[in-house]
Amino acid sequence: SAVISQKPSRDICQRGTSLTIQCQVDSQVTMMFWYRQQPGQSLTLIATANQGSEATYESGFVIDKFPISRPNLTFSTLTVSNMSPEDSSIYLCSVESGQRSYEQYFGPGTRLTVT
Amino acid sequence: GQNIDQPTEMTATEGAIVQINCTYQTSGFNGLFWYQQHAGEAPTFLSYNVLDGLEEKGRFSSFLSRSKGYSYLLLKELQMKDSASYLCAVPKDAGNNRKLIWGLGTSLAVNP
């Protein structure tokens, strides 16, 4: 199984500012995924990040708002830009299992509150 | 369109059995996932069904009927630690298990 850490675990930010969330995996993985889990809402995929290429964003999410970096096979960052209270959410990264590719491992999440 | 429905909340007693249902609509089916998520923690994988029938894994079993667009998660010999949210998910695109559509989750409370 993969062990995933995220930083920060939580933050309170003012509207208009940006926050970069880090995701570190203890093994090399091809794909990393970024999700949002808003209060009372289902997990929603933001984008898929491959090393060496630009991230692929899902409908409703754009690179200007959620820029993603993937500098190597164990690390990725998601930036939430120009934040508004509607961005208050838990942000999670996940990776596929190396052995059973249909299983995903999730990081502990970053709880973001925008005031 | 794609849609997943599951009950919002359920309550059960320690030692009992509980069944959590999930109905789905997808354009192309490629399996159904169940994840467990304790409050404030990350979701963890429970099961993956791609064929009809029941798959048992210890105290947890998962059932799938593709013709009915229906699945359930069966939890036996409930323990207090089973209090969690149970998430049902299906792939967004047939043939691609990486992008999932998730249900809102069923919050299960196990009482002594």
Side-chain angles (χ1 to χ4, degrees):
Chain A
S1 64
V3 177
I4 304 172
S5 60
Q6 284 185 234
K7 290 182 181 179
S9 58
R10 59 179 62 227
D11 206 343
I12 301 173
C13 302
Q14 292 188 346
R15 68 173 66 209
T17 62
S18 298
L19 176 72
T20 296
I21 302 167
Q22 300 178 6
C23 179
Q24 180 76 52
V25 189
D26 68 344
S27 57
Q28 294 184 340
V29 294
T30 304
M31 299 179 112
M32 296 178 76
F33 307 92
W34 285 99
Y35 284 88
R36 181 173 72 180
Q37 191 173 30
Q38 293 179 305
Q41 302 293 317
S42 61
L43 270 172
T44 303
L45 181 64
I46 297 171
T48 303
N50 288 337
Q51 193 269 336
S53 63
E54 288 199 3
T56 303
Y57 290 83
E58 297 302 305
S59 176
F61 298 97
V62 295
I63 188 171
D64 289 346
K65 175 68 175 177
F66 298 100
I68 288 172
S69 77
R70 184 77 201 276
N72 57 53
L73 291 173
T74 63
F75 186 79
S76 178
T77 68
L78 170 77
T79 299
V80 186
S81 303
N82 189 25
M83 288 184 284
S84 66
E86 291 70 36
D87 294 320
S88 296
S89 180
I90 299 172
Y91 292 86
L92 303 106
C93 65
S94 76
V95 302
E96 288 181 325
S97 161
Q99 295 179 347
R100 295 180 298 184
S101 63
Y102 49 81
E103 177 180 344
Q104 291 189 25
Y105 296 109
F106 285 83
T110 295
R111 184 178 295 273
L112 171 62
T113 302
V114 184
T115 60
Chain B
Q2 295 169 308
N3 192 46
I4 296 177
D5 288 314
Q6 47 180 138
T8 304
E9 295 179 341
M10 297 184 72
T11 303
T13 304
E14 193 174 14
I17 299 173
V18 71
Q19 177 175 313
I20 302 174
N21 297 324
C22 171
T23 57
Y24 63 89
Q25 293 176 318
T26 61
S27 55
F29 184 75
N30 195 37
L32 184 141
F33 297 80
W34 284 98
Y35 279 77
Q36 179 191 58
Q37 186 176 24
H38 286 98
E41 298 183 11
T44 55
F45 172 82
L46 289 178
S47 66
Y48 171 62
N49 292 67
V50 64
L51 299 176
D52 291 348
L54 184 69
E55 291 197 9
E56 299 186 60
K57 191 186 299 183
R59 294 190 299 114
F60 291 8
S61 302
S62 55
F63 171 84
L64 176 67
S65 170
R66 290 173 293 174
S67 62
K68 296 181 180 179
Y70 167 69
S71 173
Y72 67 73
L73 183 68
L74 192 70
L75 289 73
K76 303 176 184 176
E77 302 171 12
L78 280 172
Q79 302 175 10
M80 299 295 289
K81 67 178 183 179
D82 297 329
S83 294
S85 183
Y86 291 86
L87 310 175
C88 175
V90 296
K92 188 176 181 181
D93 304 309
N96 183 352
N97 283 347
R98 293 162 172 162
K99 297 184 180 182
L100 302 179
I101 303 294
W102 297 78
L104 287 172
T106 299
S107 180
L108 173 66
V110 179
N111 298 320

